Amino acid sequence: MRVYLDNNATTMVDPDVVREMTPYFGEKFGNPSSLHRFGSETHKGITRAMDQIYAGIGASDSDDVVFTSCATESNNWAIKSAFFDRIKNGDRNHIITTEVEHPATLATCRWLESEFGVKVTYIPVSGDGSISAETVSSFITDKTALVSIMMANNETGVVFPIKEISEIAHKYGALMHTDAVQAIGKLRVNVRDLGIDLLSMSAHKFHGPKGIGALYIREGIKLSPFIHGGGQMGGLRSGTLNVPYIVGMGKAMELAEYHQRFDIKRIETMRNRLEDSLLQISDTFVIGDRKKRVPNTILISIKGVEGEGMLWDLNQAGIGAATGSACASESLEANPILEAIGADQDLAHTAIRLSLSRFTTNEEIDYTIEKFKKAVERLRNISTSYAKVKAQNEAYPHK
Amino acid sequence: MRVYLDNNATTMVDPDVVREMTPYFGEKFGNPSSLHRFGSETHKGITRAMDQIYAGIGASDSDDVVFTSCATESNNWAIKSAFFDRIKNGDRNHIITTEVEHPATLATCRWLESEFGVKVTYIPVSGDGSISAETVSSFITDKTALVSIMMANNETGVVFPIKEISEIAHKYGALMHTDAVQAIGKLRVNVRDLGIDLLSMSAHKFHGPKGIGALYIREGIKLSPFIHGGGQMGGLRSGTLNVPYIVGMGKAMELAEYHQRFDIKRIETMRNRLEDSLLQISDTFVIGDRKKRVPNTILISIKGVEGEGMLWDLNQAGIGAATGSACASESLEANPILEAIGADQDLAHTAIRLSLSRFTTNEEIDYTIEKFKKAVERLRNISTSYAKVKAQNEAYPHK
């Protein structure tokens, strides 16, 4: 059996999305900027994709949605251009973000610090993996140019209070950017209701293709381009339009929005059943209040078991899971969110993330529960650190 | 009949390329950074693509090839990072490029001028659309950080003397970057023989998909990343790898290299036949010595006929052509290369670019010759400016 429970890393492209994209490789291969029919026959598909994306995030017609190559590019663009427009060529000098953003945000902020001396505040998360609007309040000043805080955390699935944070940002004249990569398709995202100025998204996290993302730009926000050139996308993002992926991202958004509205309870029920079953294993805990998380994610810590060991055993059983975000997975570092919430080093290496999708089945959940329990048993039997945990538990049974 | 003669704007994706890509949307959809088998089963495809690209451009194993979202990104990266590494944080202050580069290069250079006060020299082209290594020599100094000159011009197809220019650049300790977008698949490109440090390429110009490119980085060249984040591609370009397009670009490169070696004469013969036939029309001329051009391109000026009028008539007949580069086509400006070679305003609007591919057939060429001649006849009959040309010719028949 093959069970894919790493949907926060990437998702399978929906077969309907593949079907929509395919004609644009062959019969409709034109460059949309060309004046002849080979160019213009791509326009309908692009317009429909735009409509699907505007509808999916509740954007107004007067807002901009600009296609990029991925959310990493979107985050780089939003943060670097906020720097060029409002710090280097403006009178502000400060960016607020969190300690638990995606590396695309963190690395960009660190680059602005080292290259241009920008002041960046990295807000910590509390023990349940959440952040509060009050914490943002306590750091923001009238020199803050940008607040960049993700909508839902990729590791834990914990949802951050973006609406409240937007209000605070705007009170101080700062722009509000959110990385919504882990939110689209998992919770209702309405940019206007949430008061967002800039929003990053990535198609491959909602069953679209890898290699395309977008940046939403609220009406009236002037953002310098990040990639200069031929002036495509109204001069905001140059480079020949990736027509098949644009069409695919539009379809993926339409499907994501539909499933988020009518199908998400089913995924949540499976996730909860999986979570409840795994929590029956002794000395395990899940990070983040279930009610404050997106409905597909579990980050579980298994005392005395290295996350990599679990990954290995699960992989042997055909189950794909993660110890943390995929981009960091090759480095075998401690899970950054567990470090951020202050877990000790032993514990920081014991996290496993399971993330479901609309293609996950109940049979797959049953199979995963069985294999997961077996893996924990096997690994704890050979774990010296778990021997210590057990000894402690026996010595202080009420602790 | 549908005839596509705008292959310098974009190309049809080769059906073999589509076939190679397709499994990576569905059955092999994993994130290559993931540790489980869903991730690792993508590695073989990526490695093969890398091999195909290294072979295609003659790169050494110790060089880097980094995938980007397009050549526009590659050009932005090469030029901006040369600035950050060697001008802002170094002791040089000067970039050399040409007046006829792609907008991705020109707009990036202009941004560095306005944002950071970098000195940029834009080398002019001569009347035949070419540049000489001597001209580069006359502008280069030991303060020059980067020479960025394209391998073949997108409008005329004229090939620039990159090997000689590289030698000059290196004599002064400058990096040599070339935008090879219009060269791959049309002439032999060997980065080691040519002495290139940085080379930009774009899959969709050689029958791969739109939305993927690469930057070649010669061994030993340290280039700061342009897109910061999770550290993919050895930290040089962050963002989840676009596996299907990487696989597709590799296959496209393999095919391009094969056809460039064994099939290019066929395309050149068709191009020459088309060119000879069109030059039989009175008061026309083609820019650039045929022997100095890539084998698929014709930029022809038709006195007294607006390029847009020709485009319209050809489009009505099902033929896709261009007045200039696709990204500039919506602005209806004068052809920049005709302006650069000093043609007067009347003439600068009379250019039509025809660019063939390996999918072009002799039947399509016959059809195009017929329709092209008819269009010129029709448009000259209603052209007031051509009436003047004719009157001049009759008054000064030997001129």
Side-chain angles (χ1 to χ4, degrees), chain B residues 48-313:
Chain B
R48 190 176 54 235
M50 279 286 192
D51 289 346
Q52 289 162 325
I53 291 169
Y54 275 70
I57 61 171
S60 158
D61 282 350
S62 44
D63 298 336
D64 268 322
V65 170
V66 180
F67 293 106
T68 62
S69 65
C70 53
T72 291
E73 183 191 325
S74 300
N75 287 346
N76 271 256
W77 180 17
I79 297 167
K80 289 178 185 174
S81 294
F83 162 73
F84 280 108
D85 297 332
R86 299 167 64 92
I87 296 181
K88 181 166 178 291
N89 300 321
D91 55 356
R92 293 171 181 249
N93 65 1
H94 180 226
I95 290 172
I96 292 178
T97 187
T98 77
E99 284 184 351
V100 296
E101 294 299 306
H102 188 273
T105 296
L106 294 175
T108 301
C109 287
R110 285 193 207 105
W111 181 75
L112 289 178
E113 286 180 295
S114 66
E115 191 69 40
F116 292 104
V118 175
K119 289 182 193 163
V120 181
T121 301
Y122 300 90
I123 289 182
V125 291
S126 57
D128 62 352
S130 70
I131 61 161
S132 72
E134 289 71 40
T135 320
V136 177
S137 263
S138 69
F139 288 105
I140 200 165
T141 76
D142 57 9
K143 291 287 175 194
T144 305
L146 178 75
V147 176
S148 176
I149 294 183
M150 66 201 334
M151 197 168 288
N153 183 266
N154 48 320
E155 312 274 359
T156 58
V158 171
V159 179
F160 293 159
I162 295 303
K163 189 178 173 138
E164 290 77 0
I165 295 170
S166 293
E167 280 164 13
I168 294 162
H170 291 151
K171 209 162 73 184
Y172 287 83
L175 288 184
M176 180 69 209
H177 168 242
T178 190
D179 174 347
V181 163
Q182 298 291 344
I184 308 275
K186 298 172 190 167
L187 47 91
R188 182 170 174 273
V189 175
N190 186 294
V191 285
R192 285 283 173 157
D193 287 356
L194 294 168
I196 291 161
D197 299 311
L198 304 166
L199 178 140
S200 301
M201 51 194 138
S202 173
H204 80 96
K205 306 283 172 148
F206 52 87
H207 304 288
K210 292 167 195 44
I212 186 159
L215 186 68
Y216 160 84
I217 306 172
R218 191 196 182 87
E219 178 185 12
I221 307 287
K222 296 273 167 258
L223 207 65
S224 294
F226 172 54
I227 296 187
H228 296 85
Q232 286 89 346
M233 301 239 70
L236 285 168
R237 205 285 190 182
S238 292
T240 298
L241 268 63
N242 183 348
V243 185
Y245 277 17
I246 287 172
V247 168
M249 183 170 178
K251 184 68 185 175
M253 177 64 88
E254 185 187 88
L255 293 169
E257 214 260 335
Y258 175 87
H259 284 277
Q260 190 274 319
R261 294 205 312 178
F262 301 111
D263 191 31
I264 200 76
K265 275 284 161 210
R266 184 178 60 85
I267 297 167
E268 189 168 10
T269 306
M270 282 192 289
R271 191 272 311 264
N272 291 351
R273 187 164 72 83
L274 175 60
E275 188 170 323
D276 290 341
S277 301
L278 301 185
L279 284 171
Q280 289 169 2
I281 304 170
S282 60
D283 299 312
T284 58
F285 69 97
V286 166
I287 292 94
D289 181 343
R290 191 186 278 181
K291 286 184 220 76
K292 290 185 184 165
R293 277 185 276 139
V294 287
N296 79 317
T297 308
I298 304 169
L299 184 68
I300 186 165
S301 170
I302 307 136
K303 276 190 196 168
V305 176
E306 291 273 330
E308 282 76 31
M310 277 301 292
L311 268 200
W312 177 262
D313 274 24

Side-chain angles (χ1 to χ4, degrees), chain A residues 17-268:
Chain A
V17 170
V18 179
R19 207 170 297 125
E20 294 274 330
M21 295 195 303
T22 305
Y24 294 92
F25 294 120
E27 55 193 280
K28 294 183 189 173
F29 68 83
N31 186 326
S33 299
S34 293
L35 292 174
H36 45 68
R37 69 180 68 181
F38 295 87
S40 55
E41 69 196 5
T42 64
H43 294 178
K44 209 171 131 187
I46 295 169
T47 306
R48 190 176 54 236
M50 279 285 193
D51 289 346
Q52 289 162 325
I53 291 169
Y54 275 69
I57 60 169
S60 157
D61 282 351
S62 45
D63 299 336
D64 268 321
V65 170
V66 180
F67 293 106
T68 62
S69 64
C70 54
T72 292
E73 184 191 326
S74 300
N75 287 346
N76 271 257
W77 181 16
I79 297 167
K80 289 178 185 172
S81 295
F83 162 74
F84 280 108
D85 296 333
R86 299 168 64 92
I87 297 181
K88 181 166 179 290
N89 301 320
D91 55 358
R92 293 172 181 248
N93 65 2
H94 180 225
I95 290 173
I96 291 179
T97 187
T98 77
E99 284 185 350
V100 297
E101 295 298 307
H102 188 273
T105 296
L106 294 175
T108 302
C109 287
R110 284 194 206 105
W111 182 74
L112 289 179
E113 285 181 295
S114 66
E115 191 69 40
F116 293 105
V118 176
K119 289 182 194 164
V120 181
T121 302
Y122 300 89
I123 289 181
V125 290
S126 56
D128 63 352
S130 69
I131 61 159
S132 70
E134 289 71 42
T135 319
V136 177
S137 264
S138 69
F139 288 105
I140 200 166
T141 75
D142 56 8
K143 290 288 176 194
T144 306
L146 178 75
V147 176
S148 175
I149 295 183
M150 66 202 333
M151 197 169 287
N153 183 265
N154 49 319
E155 312 273 359
T156 58
V158 171
V159 180
F160 294 159
I162 295 303
K163 188 177 173 139
E164 289 77 3
I165 295 170
S166 293
E167 280 164 14
I168 294 162
H170 292 150
K171 209 161 74 183
Y172 288 83
L175 287 184
M176 180 68 210
H177 168 244
T178 190
D179 173 346
V181 162
Q182 297 292 344
I184 307 274
K186 297 173 191 166
L187 45 91
R188 182 169 173 273
V189 176
N190 186 294
V191 286
R192 285 282 173 159
D193 287 356
L194 294 168
I196 291 161
D197 299 312
L198 304 166
L199 178 142
S200 300
M201 50 195 140
S202 173
H204 80 95
K205 306 283 171 145
F206 52 90
H207 304 288
K210 292 169 198 40
I212 186 160
L215 186 68
Y216 161 83
I217 307 172
R218 192 195 182 87
E219 177 186 13
I221 307 288
K222 296 274 166 257
L223 207 66
S224 294
F226 172 55
I227 297 187
H228 296 86
Q232 286 89 346
M233 303 238 70
L236 285 168
R237 206 284 189 183
S238 291
T240 297
L241 267 62
N242 182 349
V243 185
Y245 277 16
I246 287 172
V247 168
M249 183 170 177
K251 184 68 185 174
M253 177 64 88
E254 185 187 87
L255 293 169
E257 214 260 336
Y258 175 87
H259 284 277
Q260 190 274 318
R261 294 207 307 181
F262 300 112
D263 192 30
I264 200 78
K265 275 285 161 209
R266 185 177 60 85
I267 297 166
E268 190 168 8

Side-chain angles (χ1 to χ4, degrees), chain A residues 208-396:
Chain A
K210 292 169 198 40
I212 186 160
L215 186 68
Y216 161 83
I217 307 172
R218 192 195 182 87
E219 177 186 13
I221 307 288
K222 296 274 166 257
L223 207 66
S224 294
F226 172 55
I227 297 187
H228 296 86
Q232 286 89 346
M233 303 238 70
L236 285 168
R237 206 284 189 183
S238 291
T240 297
L241 267 62
N242 182 349
V243 185
Y245 277 16
I246 287 172
V247 168
M249 183 170 177
K251 184 68 185 174
M253 177 64 88
E254 185 187 87
L255 293 169
E257 214 260 336
Y258 175 87
H259 284 277
Q260 190 274 318
R261 294 207 307 181
F262 300 112
D263 192 30
I264 200 78
K265 275 285 161 209
R266 185 177 60 85
I267 297 166
E268 190 168 8
T269 305
M270 281 191 290
R271 191 272 311 263
N272 292 351
R273 187 163 72 83
L274 175 59
E275 189 170 322
D276 291 340
S277 301
L278 300 185
L279 284 172
Q280 289 170 2
I281 305 170
S282 59
D283 299 312
T284 57
F285 68 97
V286 166
I287 291 95
D289 181 345
R290 192 186 276 181
K291 286 185 218 77
K292 290 186 184 163
R293 276 185 276 140
V294 289
N296 81 318
T297 308
I298 303 169
L299 185 68
I300 186 165
S301 170
I302 307 137
K303 275 191 197 166
V305 176
E306 291 274 328
E308 283 75 32
M310 277 300 293
L311 269 199
W312 176 263
D313 273 24
L314 292 174
N315 188 43
Q316 290 296 100
I319 301 164
T323 49
S325 81
C327 15
S329 68
E330 284 166 349
S331 55
L332 298 184
E333 283 167 6
N335 183 289
I337 192 107
L338 278 162
E339 293 203 306
I341 67 172
D344 61 32
Q345 274 298 315
D346 267 12
L347 221 50
H349 281 93
T350 64
I352 284 284
R353 184 185 68 187
L354 301 165
S355 45
L356 288 67
S357 83
R358 62 178 186 254
F359 294 103
T360 307
T361 66
N362 270 306
E363 290 67 38
E364 290 173 353
I365 297 297
D366 293 338
Y367 179 81
T368 301
I369 293 167
E370 181 203 328
K371 295 294 176 187
F372 199 99
K373 287 182 174 172
K374 273 196 186 146
V376 173
E377 202 183 325
R378 191 185 82 81
L379 291 162
R380 278 184 172 168
N381 276 336
I382 56 170
S383 161
T384 48
S385 66
Y386 192 64
K388 276 184 235 162
V389 172
K390 271 214 307 206
Q392 276 176 345
N393 284 353
E394 280 155 24
Y396 309 95

